[in-house]
PDB file of all heavy atoms in Angstrom:
ATOM      1  N   SER A   1      38.557 -22.693 -20.597  1.00 49.00           N
ATOM      2  CA  SER A   1      38.894 -22.677 -19.179  1.00 49.00           C
ATOM      3  C   SER A   1      39.275 -21.293 -18.675  1.00 49.00           C
ATOM      4  O   SER A   1      39.104 -20.987 -17.517  1.00 49.00           O
ATOM      5  CB  SER A   1      40.036 -23.651 -18.903  1.00 49.00           C
ATOM      6  OG  SER A   1      41.194 -23.225 -19.606  1.00 49.00           O
ATOM      7  N   SER A   2      39.773 -20.421 -19.546  1.00 50.00           N
ATOM      8  CA  SER A   2      40.193 -19.095 -19.098  1.00 50.00           C
ATOM      9  C   SER A   2      39.020 -18.203 -18.711  1.00 50.00           C
ATOM     10  O   SER A   2      39.180 -17.286 -17.926  1.00 50.00           O
ATOM     11  CB  SER A   2      41.020 -18.401 -20.184  1.00 50.00           C
ATOM     12  OG  SER A   2      40.229 -18.211 -21.336  1.00 50.00           O
ATOM     13  N   VAL A   3      37.842 -18.473 -19.242  1.00 47.00           N
ATOM     14  CA  VAL A   3      36.689 -17.638 -18.912  1.00 47.00           C
ATOM     15  C   VAL A   3      35.551 -18.430 -18.275  1.00 47.00           C
ATOM     16  O   VAL A   3      34.492 -17.898 -18.037  1.00 47.00           O
ATOM     17  CB  VAL A   3      36.159 -16.894 -20.160  1.00 47.00           C
ATOM     18  CG1 VAL A   3      37.169 -15.909 -20.667  1.00 47.00           C
ATOM     19  CG2 VAL A   3      35.733 -17.859 -21.226  1.00 47.00           C
ATOM     20  N   ALA A   4      35.779 -19.703 -17.981  1.00 45.00           N
ATOM     21  CA  ALA A   4      34.710 -20.547 -17.458  1.00 45.00           C
ATOM     22  C   ALA A   4      34.273 -20.131 -16.061  1.00 45.00           C
ATOM     23  O   ALA A   4      33.148 -20.378 -15.673  1.00 45.00           O
ATOM     24  CB  ALA A   4      35.159 -22.012 -17.443  1.00 45.00           C
ATOM     25  N   THR A   5      35.125 -19.468 -15.291  1.00 43.00           N
ATOM     26  CA  THR A   5      34.772 -19.093 -13.925  1.00 43.00           C
ATOM     27  C   THR A   5      34.090 -17.739 -13.847  1.00 43.00           C
ATOM     28  O   THR A   5      33.522 -17.403 -12.829  1.00 43.00           O
ATOM     29  CB  THR A   5      36.028 -19.054 -13.037  1.00 43.00           C
ATOM     30  OG1 THR A   5      36.943 -18.106 -13.597  1.00 43.00           O
ATOM     31  CG2 THR A   5      36.671 -20.413 -12.956  1.00 43.00           C
ATOM     32  N   ARG A   6      34.103 -16.964 -14.907  1.00 44.00           N
ATOM     33  CA  ARG A   6      33.464 -15.646 -14.887  1.00 44.00           C
ATOM     34  C   ARG A   6      31.963 -15.798 -15.001  1.00 44.00           C
ATOM     35  O   ARG A   6      31.460 -16.576 -15.789  1.00 44.00           O
ATOM     36  CB  ARG A   6      33.982 -14.786 -16.040  1.00 44.00           C
ATOM     37  CG  ARG A   6      35.426 -14.413 -15.814  1.00 44.00           C
ATOM     38  CD  ARG A   6      35.860 -13.287 -16.673  1.00 44.00           C
ATOM     39  NE  ARG A   6      34.905 -12.188 -16.628  1.00 44.00           N
ATOM     40  CZ  ARG A   6      34.902 -11.224 -17.520  1.00 44.00           C
ATOM     41  NH1 ARG A   6      35.761 -11.213 -18.484  1.00 44.00           N
ATOM     42  NH2 ARG A   6      34.031 -10.253 -17.433  1.00 44.00           N
ATOM     43  N   GLN A   7      31.235 -15.037 -14.212  1.00 50.00           N
ATOM     44  CA  GLN A   7      29.783 -15.105 -14.233  1.00 50.00           C
ATOM     45  C   GLN A   7      29.183 -14.136 -15.249  1.00 50.00           C
ATOM     46  O   GLN A   7      28.249 -14.468 -15.941  1.00 50.00           O
ATOM     47  CB  GLN A   7      29.225 -14.789 -12.839  1.00 50.00           C
ATOM     48  CG  GLN A   7      29.631 -15.806 -11.793  1.00 50.00           C
ATOM     49  CD  GLN A   7      29.055 -17.171 -12.080  1.00 50.00           C
ATOM     50  OE1 GLN A   7      27.933 -17.282 -12.529  1.00 50.00           O
ATOM     51  NE2 GLN A   7      29.810 -18.211 -11.831  1.00 50.00           N
ATOM     52  N   ASP A   8      29.699 -12.918 -15.315  1.00 51.00           N
ATOM     53  CA  ASP A   8      29.129 -11.891 -16.182  1.00 51.00           C
ATOM     54  C   ASP A   8      29.918 -11.836 -17.482  1.00 51.00           C
ATOM     55  O   ASP A   8      30.787 -11.011 -17.670  1.00 51.00           O
ATOM     56  CB  ASP A   8      29.159 -10.541 -15.463  1.00 51.00           C
ATOM     57  CG  ASP A   8      28.391  -9.476 -16.210  1.00 51.00           C
ATOM     58  OD1 ASP A   8      27.577  -9.834 -17.081  1.00 51.00           O
ATOM     59  OD2 ASP A   8      28.610  -8.285 -15.927  1.00 51.00           O
ATOM     60  N   LEU A   9      29.622 -12.756 -18.416  1.00 54.00           N
ATOM     61  CA  LEU A   9      30.366 -12.839 -19.659  1.00 54.00           C
ATOM     62  C   LEU A   9      29.813 -11.913 -20.735  1.00 54.00           C
ATOM     63  O   LEU A   9      30.472 -11.634 -21.709  1.00 54.00           O
ATOM     64  CB  LEU A   9      30.362 -14.283 -20.171  1.00 54.00           C
ATOM     65  CG  LEU A   9      31.031 -15.294 -19.257  1.00 54.00           C
ATOM     66  CD1 LEU A   9      30.865 -16.694 -19.828  1.00 54.00           C
ATOM     67  CD2 LEU A   9      32.490 -14.983 -19.071  1.00 54.00           C
ATOM     68  N   THR A  10      28.605 -11.465 -20.570  1.00 57.00           N
ATOM     69  CA  THR A  10      27.982 -10.584 -21.556  1.00 57.00           C
ATOM     70  C   THR A  10      27.522  -9.324 -20.850  1.00 57.00           C
ATOM     71  O   THR A  10      26.755  -9.392 -19.905  1.00 57.00           O
ATOM     72  CB  THR A  10      26.767 -11.273 -22.199  1.00 57.00           C
ATOM     73  OG1 THR A  10      27.182 -12.515 -22.721  1.00 57.00           O
ATOM     74  CG2 THR A  10      26.189 -10.427 -23.302  1.00 57.00           C
ATOM     75  N   THR A  11      27.992  -8.202 -21.303  1.00 78.00           N
ATOM     76  CA  THR A  11      27.567  -6.948 -20.708  1.00 78.00           C
ATOM     77  C   THR A  11      27.656  -5.837 -21.741  1.00 78.00           C
ATOM     78  O   THR A  11      28.512  -5.862 -22.615  1.00 78.00           O
ATOM     79  CB  THR A  11      28.390  -6.624 -19.449  1.00 78.00           C
ATOM     80  OG1 THR A  11      27.899  -5.420 -18.874  1.00 78.00           O
ATOM     81  CG2 THR A  11      29.859  -6.470 -19.751  1.00 78.00           C
ATOM     82  N   PHE A  12      26.734  -4.900 -21.655  1.00 85.00           N
ATOM     83  CA  PHE A  12      26.681  -3.783 -22.580  1.00 85.00           C
ATOM     84  C   PHE A  12      26.828  -2.475 -21.821  1.00 85.00           C
ATOM     85  O   PHE A  12      26.399  -2.361 -20.675  1.00 85.00           O
ATOM     86  CB  PHE A  12      25.336  -3.754 -23.326  1.00 85.00           C
ATOM     87  CG  PHE A  12      25.189  -4.809 -24.367  1.00 85.00           C
ATOM     88  CD1 PHE A  12      24.480  -5.964 -24.118  1.00 85.00           C
ATOM     89  CD2 PHE A  12      25.759  -4.642 -25.617  1.00 85.00           C
ATOM     90  CE1 PHE A  12      24.328  -6.934 -25.088  1.00 85.00           C
ATOM     91  CE2 PHE A  12      25.612  -5.613 -26.598  1.00 85.00           C
ATOM     92  CZ  PHE A  12      24.900  -6.755 -26.328  1.00 85.00           C
ATOM     93  N   HIS A  13      27.413  -1.489 -22.480  1.00 86.00           N
ATOM     94  CA  HIS A  13      27.457  -0.125 -21.976  1.00 86.00           C
ATOM     95  C   HIS A  13      26.812   0.771 -23.022  1.00 86.00           C
ATOM     96  O   HIS A  13      27.058   0.609 -24.220  1.00 86.00           O
ATOM     97  CB  HIS A  13      28.893   0.338 -21.735  1.00 86.00           C
ATOM     98  CG  HIS A  13      29.541  -0.300 -20.561  1.00 86.00           C
ATOM     99  ND1 HIS A  13      29.068  -0.161 -19.279  1.00 86.00           N
ATOM    100  CD2 HIS A  13      30.634  -1.075 -20.473  1.00 86.00           C
ATOM    101  CE1 HIS A  13      29.855  -0.826 -18.450  1.00 86.00           C
ATOM    102  NE2 HIS A  13      30.808  -1.404 -19.152  1.00 86.00           N
ATOM    103  N   LEU A  14      26.010   1.726 -22.558  1.00 90.00           N
ATOM    104  CA  LEU A  14      25.394   2.695 -23.444  1.00 90.00           C
ATOM    105  C   LEU A  14      26.202   3.985 -23.407  1.00 90.00           C
ATOM    106  O   LEU A  14      26.510   4.500 -22.334  1.00 90.00           O
ATOM    107  CB  LEU A  14      23.954   2.979 -23.003  1.00 90.00           C
ATOM    108  CG  LEU A  14      22.997   1.798 -23.087  1.00 90.00           C
ATOM    109  CD1 LEU A  14      21.672   2.149 -22.446  1.00 90.00           C
ATOM    110  CD2 LEU A  14      22.796   1.383 -24.527  1.00 90.00           C
ATOM    111  N   ILE A  15      26.557   4.490 -24.572  1.00 90.00           N
ATOM    112  CA  ILE A  15      27.332   5.728 -24.656  1.00 90.00           C
ATOM    113  C   ILE A  15      26.567   6.685 -25.551  1.00 90.00           C
ATOM    114  O   ILE A  15      26.447   6.420 -26.745  1.00 90.00           O
ATOM    115  CB  ILE A  15      28.742   5.467 -25.230  1.00 90.00           C
ATOM    116  CG1 ILE A  15      29.443   4.417 -24.380  1.00 90.00           C
ATOM    117  CG2 ILE A  15      29.544   6.749 -25.296  1.00 90.00           C
ATOM    118  CD1 ILE A  15      30.729   3.905 -24.985  1.00 90.00           C
ATOM    119  N   PRO A  16      26.029   7.764 -25.050  1.00 91.00           N
ATOM    120  CA  PRO A  16      25.957   8.216 -23.661  1.00 91.00           C
ATOM    121  C   PRO A  16      24.917   7.416 -22.869  1.00 91.00           C
ATOM    122  O   PRO A  16      24.013   6.821 -23.457  1.00 91.00           O
ATOM    123  CB  PRO A  16      25.513   9.681 -23.790  1.00 91.00           C
ATOM    124  CG  PRO A  16      24.726   9.724 -25.043  1.00 91.00           C
ATOM    125  CD  PRO A  16      25.359   8.706 -25.962  1.00 91.00           C
ATOM    126  N   PRO A  17      25.025   7.401 -21.533  1.00 90.00           N
ATOM    127  CA  PRO A  17      24.106   6.605 -20.722  1.00 90.00           C
ATOM    128  C   PRO A  17      22.697   7.194 -20.613  1.00 90.00           C
ATOM    129  O   PRO A  17      21.796   6.546 -20.123  1.00 90.00           O
ATOM    130  CB  PRO A  17      24.783   6.565 -19.353  1.00 90.00           C
ATOM    131  CG  PRO A  17      25.684   7.745 -19.330  1.00 90.00           C
ATOM    132  CD  PRO A  17      26.098   8.003 -20.733  1.00 90.00           C
ATOM    133  N   ARG A  18      22.504   8.430 -21.054  1.00 92.00           N
ATOM    134  CA  ARG A  18      21.180   9.069 -21.068  1.00 92.00           C
ATOM    135  C   ARG A  18      21.135  10.069 -22.209  1.00 92.00           C
ATOM    136  O   ARG A  18      22.171  10.561 -22.643  1.00 92.00           O
ATOM    137  CB  ARG A  18      20.865   9.738 -19.735  1.00 92.00           C
ATOM    138  CG  ARG A  18      21.730  10.925 -19.401  1.00 92.00           C
ATOM    139  CD  ARG A  18      21.529  11.438 -17.981  1.00 92.00           C
ATOM    140  NE  ARG A  18      21.633  10.435 -16.950  1.00 92.00           N
ATOM    141  CZ  ARG A  18      22.784   9.989 -16.440  1.00 92.00           C
ATOM    142  NH1 ARG A  18      23.909  10.473 -16.872  1.00 92.00           N
ATOM    143  NH2 ARG A  18      22.796   9.070 -15.512  1.00 92.00           N
ATOM    144  N   VAL A  19      19.930  10.356 -22.706  1.00 94.00           N
ATOM    145  CA  VAL A  19      19.762  11.280 -23.822  1.00 94.00           C
ATOM    146  C   VAL A  19      18.917  12.460 -23.355  1.00 94.00           C
ATOM    147  O   VAL A  19      17.828  12.265 -22.818  1.00 94.00           O
ATOM    148  CB  VAL A  19      19.073  10.589 -25.024  1.00 94.00           C
ATOM    149  CG1 VAL A  19      18.793  11.592 -26.126  1.00 94.00           C
ATOM    150  CG2 VAL A  19      19.930   9.449 -25.545  1.00 94.00           C
ATOM    151  N   THR A  20      19.438  13.668 -23.546  1.00 94.00           N
ATOM    152  CA  THR A  20      18.701  14.887 -23.250  1.00 94.00           C
ATOM    153  C   THR A  20      18.650  15.706 -24.531  1.00 94.00           C
ATOM    154  O   THR A  20      19.675  16.192 -24.998  1.00 94.00           O
ATOM    155  CB  THR A  20      19.379  15.684 -22.119  1.00 94.00           C
ATOM    156  OG1 THR A  20      19.527  14.838 -20.983  1.00 94.00           O
ATOM    157  CG2 THR A  20      18.546  16.898 -21.743  1.00 94.00           C
ATOM    158  N   PHE A  21      17.463  15.839 -25.094  1.00 94.00           N
ATOM    159  CA  PHE A  21      17.316  16.577 -26.339  1.00 94.00           C
ATOM    160  C   PHE A  21      17.318  18.086 -26.110  1.00 94.00           C
ATOM    161  O   PHE A  21      17.627  18.842 -27.010  1.00 94.00           O
ATOM    162  CB  PHE A  21      16.016  16.173 -27.054  1.00 94.00           C
ATOM    163  CG  PHE A  21      16.132  14.891 -27.824  1.00 94.00           C
ATOM    164  CD1 PHE A  21      15.621  13.714 -27.316  1.00 94.00           C
ATOM    165  CD2 PHE A  21      16.738  14.860 -29.058  1.00 94.00           C
ATOM    166  CE1 PHE A  21      15.715  12.527 -28.023  1.00 94.00           C
ATOM    167  CE2 PHE A  21      16.834  13.688 -29.780  1.00 94.00           C
ATOM    168  CZ  PHE A  21      16.324  12.514 -29.261  1.00 94.00           C
ATOM    169  N   GLY A  22      16.933  18.544 -24.939  1.00 91.00           N
ATOM    170  CA  GLY A  22      16.856  19.979 -24.679  1.00 91.00           C
ATOM    171  C   GLY A  22      15.499  20.521 -25.093  1.00 91.00           C
ATOM    172  O   GLY A  22      14.490  19.831 -25.053  1.00 91.00           O
ATOM    173  N   VAL A  23      15.453  21.790 -25.527  1.00 92.00           N
ATOM    174  CA  VAL A  23      14.200  22.424 -25.930  1.00 92.00           C
ATOM    175  C   VAL A  23      13.984  22.192 -27.422  1.00 92.00           C
ATOM    176  O   VAL A  23      14.847  22.500 -28.238  1.00 92.00           O
ATOM    177  CB  VAL A  23      14.221  23.939 -25.613  1.00 92.00           C
ATOM    178  CG1 VAL A  23      12.932  24.595 -26.060  1.00 92.00           C
ATOM    179  CG2 VAL A  23      14.440  24.169 -24.126  1.00 92.00           C
ATOM    180  N   LEU A  24      12.826  21.628 -27.760  1.00 93.00           N
ATOM    181  CA  LEU A  24      12.503  21.280 -29.146  1.00 93.00           C
ATOM    182  C   LEU A  24      11.313  22.084 -29.632  1.00 93.00           C
ATOM    183  O   LEU A  24      10.423  22.434 -28.856  1.00 93.00           O
ATOM    184  CB  LEU A  24      12.176  19.785 -29.250  1.00 93.00           C
ATOM    185  CG  LEU A  24      13.180  18.808 -28.647  1.00 93.00           C
ATOM    186  CD1 LEU A  24      12.672  17.392 -28.799  1.00 93.00           C
ATOM    187  CD2 LEU A  24      14.533  18.967 -29.278  1.00 93.00           C
TER     188      LEU A  24
END
């Protein structure tokens, strides 16, 4: 019952949110 009203129960965060390799 404590979480039954929440809609977004599963969520992910990417750390870092983008990848920049630079000059290769």
